[in-house]
């Protein structure tokens, strides 16, 4: 297979190297990743400045492209320009830090996979709570198994996988759950502080909740030291609401002509 590797932590991040080590033996792998950390940029793209794409050496004999843009830019550039034809698979990660619940919308890691899904390319985002590094090779080995399943049982177009792997050696992981997003996995808050000029500033943060909306969520799986696999849809349309909204029968003139 021809595989595009990317992330939101920058081209020199350890998680990306772990994916490279695991997949470059059997596959044709190209790395196109941000030239610096771009975590939490979500699905943003760069429109108001040119994108530069520098060939960099990752380690002996391994080159990749460092892009001065976002993870979604990297996938777009790889798919439309750098790789012809487009890759068979896009892998994004391994992100240090979980990407669960509504936060997948903020995650550059997940949105890189969604960008691939938009082009109909199978894609997986992989994250690990904590700093991720010590067990990145175990996570990459698990991912290889998922990729084999995707080859034999392809997902529908526009569906990508979001995987979170506990920060543990694989023999301490309790199992694998297929999950839905826990929509409120964090207690969010702002810390209000004062700057030296006595003006307030705000720093946002959050703490993981330990209550869940059900046992079948990504957050609940991680809390039980289980791997979470969530299928994510790129098309944001809510099909179930279409009929209800059509019944509104809105008119261009605001309904005043009735
Ligand atoms: Mn990140």
């Amino acid at each position: 297979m021809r595989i595009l590797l990317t992330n939101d932590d920058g081209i020199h991040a350890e998680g990306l190297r772990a994916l490279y080590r695991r997949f470059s033996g059997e596959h044709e792998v190209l790395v196109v990743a941000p030239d610096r950390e771009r975590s939490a940029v979500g699905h943003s793209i760069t429109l108001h400045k040119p994108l530069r794409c520098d060939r960099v050496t990752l380690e002996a004999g391994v080159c990749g492209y460092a892009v001065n843009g976002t993870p979604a830019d990297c996938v777009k550039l790889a798919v439309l320009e750098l790789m012809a034809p487009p890759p068979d698979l896009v892998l994004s990660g391994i992100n240090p830090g979980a990407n669960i619940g509504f936060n997948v919308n903020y995650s550059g890691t997940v949105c890189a996979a969604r960008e691939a899904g938009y082009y109909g390319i199978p894609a997986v985002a992989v994250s690990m709570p904590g700093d991720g590094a010590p067990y990145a090779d175990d996570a990459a080995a698990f991912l290889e198994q998922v990729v084999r399943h995707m080859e034999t049982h392809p997902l529908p177009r526009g569906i990508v996988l979001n995987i979170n792997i506990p920060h543990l050696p694989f023999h301490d992981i309790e199992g694998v759950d297929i999950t839905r997003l826990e929509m409120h996995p964090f207690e969010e808050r702002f810390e209000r502080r004062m700057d030296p000029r006595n003006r307030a500033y705000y720093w946002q943060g959050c703490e993981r909740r330990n209550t869940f909306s059900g046992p079948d969520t990504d957050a609940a799986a991680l809390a039980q030291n289980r791997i979470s696999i969530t299928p994510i849809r790129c098309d944001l349309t809510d099909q179930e609401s279409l009929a209800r909204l059509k019944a509104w029968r809105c008119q261009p003139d605001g309904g005043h002509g009735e």
Side-chain angles (χ1 to χ4, degrees):
M1 261 197 298
R2 297 172 65 250
I3 302 178
L4 167 64
L5 299 185
T6 192
N7 69 359
D8 74 358
D9 303 306
I11 194 159
H12 295 291
E14 170 55 27
L16 187 67
R17 283 159 191 265
L19 293 183
Y20 189 90
R21 282 195 295 273
R22 192 75 203 185
F23 287 91
S24 59
E26 278 186 38
H27 303 280
E28 187 187 324
V29 171
L30 182 69
V31 175
V32 182
D35 61 359
R36 70 202 78 168
E37 192 190 341
R38 303 302 300 267
S39 292
V41 299
H43 211 140
S44 66
I45 55 171
T46 303
L47 294 179
H48 301 294
K49 64 175 188 181
L51 286 177
R52 305 279 180 189
C53 180
D54 293 324
R55 213 166 158 73
V56 298
T57 302
L58 298 173
E59 48 196 80
V62 180
C63 286
Y65 289 102
V67 177
N68 64 334
T70 66
D73 285 328
C74 291
V75 172
K76 222 178 247 307
L77 199 56
V79 169
L80 299 179
E81 282 290 327
L82 302 176
M83 295 179 88
D88 303 308
L89 175 71
V90 174
L91 302 178
S92 179
I94 301 167
N95 187 68
N99 277 310
I100 56 176
F102 190 73
N103 290 26
V104 298
N105 292 294
Y106 310 134
S107 163
T109 307
V110 178
C111 289
R114 287 173 70 194
E115 182 69 20
Y118 164 65
Y119 291 109
I121 300 167
V124 186
V126 194
S127 307
M128 183 176 272
D131 70 6
Y135 308 113
D137 287 315
D138 286 359
F142 174 77
L143 185 59
E144 195 175 32
Q145 176 192 187
V146 171
V147 166
R148 282 199 300 272
H149 280 293
M150 289 172 80
E151 276 186 283
T152 50
H153 303 87
L155 291 164
R157 184 186 168 91
I159 305 296
V160 301
L161 296 182
N162 184 43
I163 300 183
N164 283 275
I165 300 178
H167 189 224
L168 294 167
F170 71 89
H171 49 80
D172 288 334
I173 293 178
E174 300 287 342
V176 181
D177 287 350
I178 307 303
T179 60
R180 61 186 170 89
L181 300 177
E182 173 71 61
M183 284 309 277
H184 298 283
F186 298 103
E187 199 75 60
E188 297 186 16
R189 56 179 162 67
F190 279 93
E191 232 177 83
R192 185 177 187 271
R193 300 178 186 173
M194 301 306 281
D195 74 12
R197 297 200 171 103
N198 215 30
R199 292 190 319 171
Y201 67 96
Y202 298 86
W203 204 308
Q204 61 180 295
C206 60
E207 272 161 44
R208 192 87 67 88
R209 287 181 207 264
N210 44 23
T211 54
F212 309 108
S213 62
D216 56 342
T217 68
D218 51 2
L222 281 185
Q224 293 174 39
N225 295 337
R226 299 175 69 85
I227 293 173
S228 163
I229 303 181
T230 309
I232 288 182
R233 184 183 285 279
C234 293
D235 179 352
L236 298 179
T237 311
D238 180 31
Q239 299 289 339
E240 285 179 22
S241 297
L242 288 178
R244 185 177 309 183
L245 264 69
K246 282 175 183 169
W248 288 4
R249 301 189 190 285
C250 288
Q251 302 299 321
D253 64 356
H256 298 294
E258 282 180 13

